Structure formats: C-alpha cells, structure tokens
Amino acid sequence: MDSVVANIKKDIESKLLDVLDELSAEDKQKVDEFKDVRFLHPQLSSSFKELLEAYNCMEPGDFILVAGSTGVGKSALAEQFKLHLQKNELEKMETDLNYNPVVYQNAYQSESGSFDFKLFYENISVATGDILINEKQLVEFLPSGAVDVEVFRKKNKTVRQMRKSVENSFERRETHTLLIDEIQHMLSLNGADQLKDRMDFIKSFTESAQVRIIMFGNYDALKMSSLSAQLGRRENLIDFPRYKCLTEQELEDWVNVVWNCQKHLPLKYNDTLVNHYKYLLQYSCGCTGILKKWLNRALIKTLSQGKQEITKSILEATRLPDKKLSQIAREIAIGEKKLEMTGVDEVTELFKGACVDFLSDDCEEEQEPAKTKKKAKKKPGEQNPKRHKVGR
C-alpha cells in the first residue's frame, strides 16, 4: 500500500512539474507567492495558545508532544512557535551573533528504515550554526589522565561523540529550546523495548543538553505515551485537531479558512472558491495543510489553461486520489480514537473499596460521620425493648 501511494504521489508531482515548466515567468511568480501564503486560523491559534501555556510550565526533563493528523498544519505551528520564541530574544540575537536560542530540525526518515542518529545530530549541528562539523574532535582522557591519542586517528565519529558535540554546541550557543518535527520517524521501530529506549534517549537528552524539547508528529507518535508511567509523567500531550465541523461555529471557522485562501489567490475571479466549501472540506479531510497544497495544484492547472477562476472541475481534477484519501481517513480515524479518554476505569480501580464517593464532589461538606448505635447484648428469649400498646 505504501509503495502504491508513493507512486501515485510521484505521478501527481511529476505531472505538475511538467505543467509548471510551461507557465510564463509571471505565472510562475504568482504560484510561488501563493505557496508562501500563511495565515492564522482558529485551530492553529488555539493549539498555539495551548502550546505556549505548556511551554511556560515546563520543568527540567519534561517534553511536549504535539500530535495531529497528516496535513493538519503541524509544521506551520512549529514554524510560528519558533518565530515567536526568536522574537522575544531578538535584541540579544542582534547584539550577540553567537546566540541561537531556538533550533528547529526535521527528523528525516532514513532510507534503510532505521533512524539515522548520526545524520540527525549532524543536521542539528548545522541548524545550530556550527562549522567544520566533520572535522571536529572531542578530547578524551585515559584513566591515567593522559589524552587518548587514538581518538584523533579515527575518521568516523561515534553516535555518542556526535551527541556530545551537539550538547557542547547548545552550551556555547546558549540554545534552550529544540523543536523536532516529524518525530514519528524517530519512533518507527518494531519492538516496544527499542521504542522505550528512544523515549529514554529523549528524556536523558533533555536533561543532559539542558534544553526544552518540543516534538511534532502524526498520530503514530502517540505510541510513546503508553510506554511507561515515568515517561507519561514527563510528557505533555497537545492535540492539534482538524476541522470536524461538529458545531455551527466550527463550520463558520472552516468557511473563513476557505475565504482566506481565496482572497490570496492571484486570479481575477477569486471570489467563487468559498462556494465549494463543502467539497473542499470533504476531500481535504478538514486539514488545512491538505487544502493548501490542493489549491496550489489547482492554481497551477488554472493558470496553465489560461483561466482566471478555479472551477469545480479543476478542483475535481487536482484533489488527491481516492486511495490516498482513504489511507489518510483511516489514519485519522485510528488516531482520533487513540486520543479519546481512556484509562479512567483503571484509575477508579485503584480506589476500589475506599470510603470516598468520587461522584459527589459538590456534596463534600464538613460533617461528622453518623454514629452507629451499638446493639446491647440480650439473654436468650429476652424481648427487644419497645413501647407496648396500652388502652384501647
């Protein structure tokens, strides 16, 4: 299935590149400008606010996971959050060119299937601003106190050495926050034990490098939440939802998203796109990232045909294939199910038999418990004390 989807995606992109080459320089500029369009919308603003609150409450060893479906806009959120943190540090960054408070890095998937930590550390070093990365050597000492000369003779660094180099770079650059996008690539392992090792790495790296780690990933990254109680205690999970339009307000928000897209379209007749908001909602799965790339393709096709309006037929021709949409829909359904409230029964079970009624919190008043009367011991055949009927 993955190979089929990859081929479909490749075919779409290759066809678009052929069409793009045929456009005039003016039309190519219009396409590039529309691709760079970014704007805030309610779901992005809400997730940004939640992320900022969680960030300000972080303690040493904590980390944040922002999870959402494919194409929901996680990378846009990471970009906005990085710019926000840098804005607060702008004055110091201008006076001290060595200062790099926030580093953003994508956890690229390795061709071999196993995550390449050496490449990951090398990319972080580049993002931090280091130079001559492959030429640096860490000085190591023997038990006698002498310098280990053999280390300098080795051409290839070990993963441990590269990690230490990154930590030293963070210290020199005074980096305090590391944003890791597509974190699910780092966690794509077969065994739960290996996965737990990766999460232990993140926890220890947070402490040893003295940085706050914020991870962004799809719903596959949720598997880290159930590994251990220790990891769960340190993790702060933030859901970045798609537009489900379960309420009138959310439907109105979606219409505004489409309207914001159409007003940036470099077309003469750009006021008709919002008429197709239902079609755009259905075949983007409510994800703004999928919608934006869809409109990028639609714009290229519109300009290639010499038109000045994105029509319904163009939207039908440029939307994702049914197989790809079905796969995305399945992943969203599984991920959203994982996010549902679970574990309540297990928590309640911990207090089974306790003299506490958790369902009546509002009725908890300071009252003395009712005293139970002790039954007096009676002799066999002795009657219980009671008032006898007298008179008529």
Side-chain angles (χ1 to χ4, degrees):
M1 176 62 73
D2 292 340
S3 60
V4 173
V5 172
N7 290 333
I8 291 174
K9 184 176 180 182
K10 185 177 180 181
D11 290 340
I12 294 175
E13 291 178 351
S14 61
K15 291 178 181 178
L16 282 174
L17 287 175
D18 294 338
V19 174
L20 189 60
D21 290 338
E22 299 173 359
L23 295 180
S24 64
E26 182 181 356
D27 287 343
K28 287 181 180 179
Q29 184 178 357
K30 291 180 179 179
V31 171
D32 291 338
E33 290 177 354
F34 184 71
K35 284 182 178 180
D36 294 336
V37 168
R38 298 289 186 273
F39 56 88
L40 289 176
H41 54 88
Q43 296 289 34
L44 179 61
S45 300
S46 177
S47 297
F48 182 92
K49 181 179 179 181
E50 187 177 357
L51 175 57
L52 184 59
E53 291 176 352
Y55 177 82
N56 292 331
C57 295
M58 291 182 74
E59 297 180 359
D62 292 349
F63 55 89
I64 298 175
L65 170 62
V66 180
S69 63
T70 299
V72 79
K74 299 180 297 296
S75 297
L77 175 61
E79 179 183 348
Q80 291 295 326
F81 196 73
K82 176 187 176 183
L83 292 175
H84 173 79
L85 295 180
Q86 289 179 332
K87 183 179 179 181
N88 296 334
E89 307 276 0
L90 190 58
E91 184 177 349
K92 185 175 180 180
M93 291 175 65
E94 290 177 347
T95 56
D96 184 4
L97 299 181
N98 186 61
Y99 184 53
N100 190 359
V102 186
V103 172
Y104 169 87
Q105 182 55 48
N106 194 311
Y108 295 107
Q109 189 172 15
S110 174
E111 297 179 355
S112 62
S114 179
F115 187 74
D116 190 345
F117 268 96
K118 284 189 174 182
L119 178 62
F120 177 67
Y121 288 135
E122 184 175 330
N123 290 333
I124 290 181
S125 297
V126 173
T128 308
D130 275 1
I131 59 174
L132 301 175
I133 300 169
N134 296 323
E135 303 299 327
K136 291 183 178 180
Q137 292 288 348
L138 294 176
V139 178
E140 296 189 9
F141 297 92
L142 298 172
S144 61
V147 176
D148 187 359
V149 182
E150 293 297 326
V151 174
F152 297 101
R153 296 176 181 175
K154 297 177 181 178
K155 294 183 179 180
N156 297 325
K157 292 183 181 179
T158 64
V159 175
R160 185 182 66 83
Q161 289 174 329
M162 296 188 71
R163 170 175 170 171
K164 187 63 178 176
S165 178
V166 168
E167 292 175 357
N168 291 340
S169 179
F170 282 166
E171 184 178 359
R172 291 193 307 272
R173 301 282 184 173
E174 299 182 60
T175 302
H176 56 67
T177 303
L178 173 63
L179 309 177
I180 307 177
D181 200 3
E182 304 293 349
I183 190 63
Q184 70 274 2
H185 294 158
M186 185 182 292
L187 307 174
S188 57
L189 296 168
N190 296 326
D193 292 338
Q194 290 180 313
L195 181 58
K196 187 174 181 299
D197 291 340
R198 291 290 166 87
M199 290 310 302
D200 287 335
F201 148 75
I202 292 175
K203 180 177 70 68
S204 64
F205 187 68
T206 302
E207 296 172 344
S208 60
Q210 295 296 306
V211 293
R212 300 179 182 183
I213 294 183
I214 305 175
M215 301 172 290
F216 302 81
N218 61 24
Y219 288 133
D220 287 341
L222 291 175
K223 66 181 80 172
M224 71 174 67
S225 301
S226 59
L227 293 179
S228 71
Q230 184 183 23
L231 292 175
R233 178 177 61 85
R234 294 178 178 273
E235 177 196 62
N236 193 333
L237 175 61
I238 296 176
D239 176 25
F240 189 176
R242 62 189 176 92
Y243 283 92
K244 303 177 185 178
C245 296
L246 300 178
T247 63
E248 291 294 331
Q249 181 59 53
E250 193 174 352
L251 179 58
E252 183 179 343
D253 291 340
W254 174 257
V255 174
N256 287 331
V257 168
V258 178
W259 182 84
N260 270 307
C261 288
Q262 81 170 12
K263 77 175 184 179
H264 288 95
L265 284 170
L267 299 173
K268 183 178 181 180
Y269 306 107
N270 65 348
D271 56 351
T272 59
L273 184 67
V274 75
N275 297 333
H276 308 299
Y277 72 92
K278 292 181 181 179
Y279 188 79
L280 294 170
L281 173 66
Q282 180 180 5
Y283 291 101
S284 68
C285 299
C287 300
T288 56
I290 295 178
L291 171 68
K292 185 59 170 56
K293 290 186 177 181
W294 181 4
L295 294 180
N296 290 344
R297 298 191 296 269
L299 176 61
I300 293 175
K301 191 171 186 64
T302 300
L303 294 174
S304 67
Q305 294 179 357
K307 298 181 179 180
Q308 289 296 318
E309 178 187 0
I310 295 181
T311 61
K312 179 71 174 296
S313 60
I314 291 178
L315 291 176
E316 292 174 347
T318 54
R319 70 175 177 86
L320 289 176
D322 292 337
K323 289 184 178 180
K324 179 64 175 176
L325 286 169
S326 297
Q327 183 187 23
I328 293 174
R330 283 195 298 270
E331 291 178 356
I332 291 176
I334 294 173
E336 290 179 347
K337 190 174 182 179
K338 289 180 181 178
L339 282 173
E340 292 177 358
M341 293 298 293
T342 57
V344 177
D345 294 337
E346 288 81 357
V347 174
T348 306
E349 192 70 18
L350 293 175
F351 299 96
K352 186 176 182 179
C355 56
V356 180
D357 185 3
F358 291 103
L359 300 179
S360 58
D361 293 339
D362 297 335
C363 302
E364 289 184 357
E365 298 179 359
E366 294 183 0
Q367 298 178 350
E368 294 184 2
K371 297 181 179 180
T372 57
K373 295 182 179 179
K374 296 183 180 180
K375 294 183 178 180
K377 295 182 179 180
K378 302 183 297 295
K379 296 179 181 179
E382 185 178 355
Q383 190 178 14
N384 289 330
K386 63 179 180 179
R387 183 182 295 274
H388 292 273
K389 186 176 182 181
V390 295
R392 293 182 180 180

